[in-house]
Amino acid sequence: FRGRLVAEGDDLMLVELLTGEETQTRVPQAMQDEILMLLGCFAAYKVQHIFREGNQVAHVLCKEAYQRPGVWAGGIVPHAVWEKAQDDVHGVAHERLCKKKL
């Protein structure tokens, strides 16, 4: 690959693991090794945390993958994912919803 990469994720523990800020994790070692190997394919990379509301395309894509497992090929994107991508293109902001304390 050899380019530069900024990878954003809404799993704070995974981000902290990949940036060396966390050592204990529920992420299997083989998965950690594979992610780090892939990141190493780039000349430079940065891994940073983003809240789910700022990562809607990836969040909806993951939900779709759980509901409809398999491989999507030929440029076919699930409608729900396409809608979130269009929101991103148009700069739609998503509020961070916090649970109310009782």
Side-chain angles (χ1 to χ4, degrees):
F1 304 116
R2 302 302 348 142
R4 294 184 295 170
L5 172 74
V6 175
E8 296 178 328
D10 59 19
D11 184 333
L12 182 59
M13 184 179 289
L14 179 59
V15 169
E16 289 178 344
L17 175 71
L18 295 173
T19 58
E21 300 171 54
E22 175 66 54
T23 56
Q24 299 298 318
T25 181
R26 67 197 179 304
V27 179
Q29 187 63 48
M31 185 181 292
Q32 295 175 43
D33 293 343
E34 183 175 4
I35 293 169
L36 291 171
M37 184 270 304
L38 290 169
L39 290 172
C41 293
F42 292 88
Y45 67 85
K46 179 179 181 181
V47 179
Q48 59 192 33
H49 180 256
I50 184 169
F51 289 106
R52 182 177 302 148
E53 292 78 9
N55 202 18
Q56 287 291 302
V57 175
H59 179 68
V60 172
L61 185 60
C62 185
K63 283 176 53 177
E64 287 288 317
Y66 277 110
Q67 293 171 358
R68 297 175 187 81
V71 176
W72 299 320
I76 298 171
V77 177
H79 183 71
V81 176
W82 179 256
E83 285 181 335
K84 290 299 178 185
Q86 290 302 302
D87 285 353
D88 274 3
V89 167
H90 298 291
V92 174
H94 299 279
E95 279 188 46
R96 177 128 179 94
L97 302 175
C98 299
K99 293 180 181 177
K100 292 182 181 180
K101 294 181 181 180
L102 299 176

